[in-house]
Amino acid sequence: MRKIIIGLAATGLLLAGTVATAGTANAAGSRCGDWSTSEPLLKYGATGDAVRELQCELNYSINPDTRAKIAVDGVFGQATLDSVRYFQACMGYLQVDGDVGPQTWGALDWWSSVNAYPNCH
């Protein structure tokens, strides 16, 4: 019985370590992440580190041959709004509203972590 309990405890610790590692692995795979790991709903006019993260991810998610990179200044201004809308339209399944919520963050997280750009027309 004691061996079973010790085995279960060891398995629980192993799984807990795996879960913790999986949560940090996502951030480690990103090229950004220096600014913020928070992904709040962002809209035009927002400021701060989450906006810097957004701007960084946009710069890695949009082909610089199609749009100029935006400044990573932490201000969700017109250039950031235009880039968000361009990215949302490029995805084809995101609502093109300029707001950055869970679906837009998810697409940005993926595209900013790979060495490719979405095929936008």
Side-chain angles (χ1 to χ4, degrees), residues 7 29 48 75 99 109 115 119:
V75 177
D99 294 347
D109 289 344
N115 291 320
N119 187 15

Side-chain angles (χ1 to χ4, degrees), residues 12-117:
L13 289 173
L14 179 62
L15 289 175
T18 302
V19 170
T21 303
T24 55
N26 187 23
S30 174
R31 297 177 184 183
C32 301
D34 291 341
W35 306 108
S36 176
T37 56
S38 171
E39 295 182 339
L41 175 63
L42 294 176
K43 298 180 179 211
Y44 180 83
T47 60
D49 287 341
V51 176
R52 285 183 182 87
E53 180 68 20
L54 166 65
Q55 292 164 330
C56 179
E57 290 194 24
L58 283 166
N59 283 337
Y60 280 112
S61 299
I62 297 174
N63 188 336
D65 293 339
T66 60
R67 290 191 67 81
K69 292 190 179 280
I70 55 174
V72 180
D73 61 6
V75 177
F76 195 141
Q78 191 63 48
T80 302
L81 178 63
D82 292 344
S83 290
V84 168
R85 287 181 176 157
Y86 178 84
F87 179 78
Q88 289 171 330
C90 176
M91 292 296 95
Y93 64 90
L94 297 173
Q95 184 174 353
V96 183
D97 58 6
D99 294 347
V100 182
Q103 289 184 326
T104 300
W105 274 117
L108 282 167
D109 289 344
W110 193 86
W111 282 105
S112 67
S113 69
V114 297
N115 291 320
Y117 299 109

